Amino acid sequence: MLKISDAAHFRRVVAALCLVAAPLLFAAAEITTPQPSGSAAAQLASFAQHRNLLVAGVLCGLASSMCFVPALFGLLHKIRDRGVVYAHVAAALIIYGLVTQAAVFGINVMFWVMTKPGMNHAAMVNLLDGLHHGPAVVGAPLLAGQYLFAVGVVLLGVAVWRARLAPRWAGILVALWPVADIALSSAGDVATLVSDAIGIAGFAALGWRLLTAPDASWDTPPAIAAEPVPQPHPSAI
């Protein structure tokens, strides 16, 4: 039960639920959003054929971005010691990626409007063709956001692994999420499904760790085993 009056309980549960929901909604956005190729006319025709999926992808993507923010702040609160720097750099990169993704969602809404029945088809094709051949500097920040988001997720996995916030395999899975997506990019939809499954598993493990933790642990740093003190070799005594 969500205890709104208990700040530690509320923040812990919200962060845990968002850690589970964010990658799930991200995967839903990737799967539902049409990815047409070819000429501007062919792409516009594909968008027109899948208008409902286009809107569903936008809504899932926005919901995912909203969930990533409290999830990130929850992890930043819990990650201490050796993972702090990695976690904060990761959060900055991921948030930049989320901002650029919001801009991309706005463009997808524009595509949805362009394919509305009654619109001047020839004019919309010319508009889309103009967008494709516009100055590269216009789309560079959006493209950079995609890659910086991926780098941020990798660093977040490293931070979780170094801080021992959860089982180390959880941090490894989080870091492998974008790596698998890039490595399997030639596999098409299979790459999306496999990489998203890896990300969902990693973040779900983090969410479950927070969800099952006692409220008293919210402001308590995770216990880290002390490094063994090297003993001098007998010959050196």
Side-chain angles (χ1 to χ4, degrees):
M1 184 176 179
L2 193 59
K3 304 174 185 176
I4 299 178
S5 60
D6 188 337
H9 175 86
F10 181 79
R11 291 168 182 166
R12 177 180 60 81
V13 174
V14 168
L17 294 178
C18 286
L19 281 167
V20 177
L24 281 171
L25 291 166
F26 186 93
E30 279 197 321
I31 293 171
T32 56
T33 302
Q35 303 291 338
S37 59
S39 64
Q43 292 184 36
L44 200 64
S46 178
F47 285 134
Q49 186 179 0
H50 303 97
R51 294 185 79 237
N52 292 336
L53 289 178
L54 190 60
V55 173
V58 169
L59 295 177
C60 289
L62 290 174
S64 173
S65 297
M66 293 173 64
C67 288
F68 263 117
V69 175
L72 282 174
F73 279 102
L75 289 178
L76 288 178
H77 179 76
K78 291 300 297 178
I79 292 175
R80 312 291 174 89
D81 299 317
R82 292 173 293 178
V84 169
V85 175
Y86 287 94
H88 281 76
V89 174
L93 296 179
I94 291 174
I95 289 176
Y96 178 83
L98 295 176
V99 171
T100 58
Q101 284 178 15
V104 172
F105 298 145
I107 295 174
N108 286 344
V109 171
M110 181 186 69
F111 292 153
W112 181 80
V113 174
M114 290 168 63
T115 56
K116 184 178 179 180
M119 299 295 288
N120 188 321
H121 181 72
M124 295 301 101
V125 170
N126 290 334
L127 175 60
L128 183 56
D129 188 64
L131 291 173
H132 287 167
H133 296 88
V137 68
V138 175
L142 301 183
L143 184 61
Q146 178 181 355
Y147 292 105
L148 292 179
F149 179 86
V151 174
V153 172
V154 172
L155 292 179
L156 184 64
V158 174
V160 170
W161 183 81
R162 287 177 61 86
R164 301 182 185 179
L165 178 61
R168 288 202 162 188
W169 57 262
I172 294 173
L173 289 181
V174 170
L176 282 178
W177 178 20
V179 175
D181 187 54
I182 296 173
L184 301 174
S185 57
S186 60
D189 292 339
V190 175
T192 300
L193 294 175
V194 172
S195 62
D196 284 340
I198 292 174
I200 290 170
F203 277 94
L206 296 177
W208 179 252
R209 185 62 176 265
L210 289 186
L211 193 61
T212 57
D215 293 336
S217 68
W218 179 249
D219 292 318
T220 304
I224 298 179
E227 295 291 339
V229 178
Q231 300 295 327
H233 194 272
S235 61
I237 299 177

